[in-house]
Amino acid sequence: MHGDSSPELFREVFGRFATGVAVITSAGAAGSGGMTANAICSLSLDPLLALVCFENGARTLPIVREAGRFAVNLLAAEQEPLAGVFASKLPEAEKLDGVAHALRDGVPVLDGVLAWATCELNELIAGGDHTIAIGRVLSLGLAEHAGVQPLLWYAGGYRALAPHAGA
Ligand SMILES: Cc1cc2nc3c(=O)[nH]c(=O)nc-3n(C[C@H](O)[C@H](O)[C@H](O)COP(=O)(O)O)c2cc1C
């Protein structure tokens, strides 16, 4: 057991918190784009609030700030290639090229996602080298097919859900 507090160990420790994978998209006066994110969370039920942590240098952040809106797209297992595209530094304007999506509440909701939420930006809070964006939910949706599986992220790699040993 280590007991240090290095950034490397911090990454490893929180990397053991298995998560889904989201793409945060936005579109507005500052263009359109998106970024892959797993530092997201449901925050409040009354009102319905969600939060997303943006690296301060993420190019999606000024787009969200300008648009005052964003969409949280929760990826399905077969959408790993999309996670790669939106985690890349491809020119922001090209990220949505060829990615099937529809504008809902003015922000891009990707086709084939596990679930999605559109949010109005409520607040931006400084958090070290990241910025916490709090959004008020505008609309929500689920995949049309019940069998859609989630894309997961664990210990620095993409994973798939496995049936529970006791199931
Ligand atoms: C699985 C995964 C999760 C990520 N989670 C976040 C996150 O929560 N917040 C963040 O700012 N960047 C996150 N990133 C990194 C961004 O996707 C990456 O920096 C991206 O290039 C940002 O795009 P942009 O500069 O076009 O906004 C994650 C990357 C991966 C692969």
Side-chain angles (χ1 to χ4, degrees), residues 35-39 53 55 59-60 87-89 92 95 153:
M35 78 164 195
T36 300
N38 70 338
C53 300
E55 198 188 329
R59 298 164 304 168
T60 306
S88 76
K89 291 298 174 188
E92 198 62 28
K95 279 190 167 181
W153 179 258

Side-chain angles (χ1 to χ4, degrees), residues 19-148:
T19 66
V21 180
V23 171
I24 310 304
T25 52
S26 190
S32 66
M35 78 164 195
T36 300
N38 70 338
I40 72 161
C41 184
S42 60
L43 175 64
S44 161
L45 271 174
D46 184 18
L48 292 180
L49 299 174
L51 73 77
V52 177
C53 300
F54 289 91
E55 198 188 329
N56 291 335
R59 298 164 304 168
T60 306
L61 180 55
I63 296 176
V64 168
R65 190 185 281 121
E66 188 64 39
R69 285 185 179 201
F70 60 89
V72 178
N73 296 271
L74 304 182
L75 297 188
E78 67 272 13
Q79 292 180 311
E80 188 182 321
L82 280 187
V85 167
F86 287 97
S88 76
K89 291 298 174 188
L90 200 69
E92 198 62 28
E94 290 174 23
K95 279 190 167 181
L96 279 159
D97 282 0
V99 177
H101 65 276
L103 288 183
R104 290 181 187 268
D105 302 311
V107 287
V109 172
L110 310 184
D111 287 8
V113 291
L114 185 66
W116 56 270
T118 58
C119 299
E120 184 177 45
L121 182 64
N122 243 20
E123 211 178 338
L124 288 172
I125 300 167
D129 57 11
H130 279 59
T131 298
I132 304 161
I134 297 179
R136 191 179 61 78
V137 172
L138 297 171
S139 23
L140 298 161
L142 295 170
E144 281 157 27
H145 309 290
V148 182

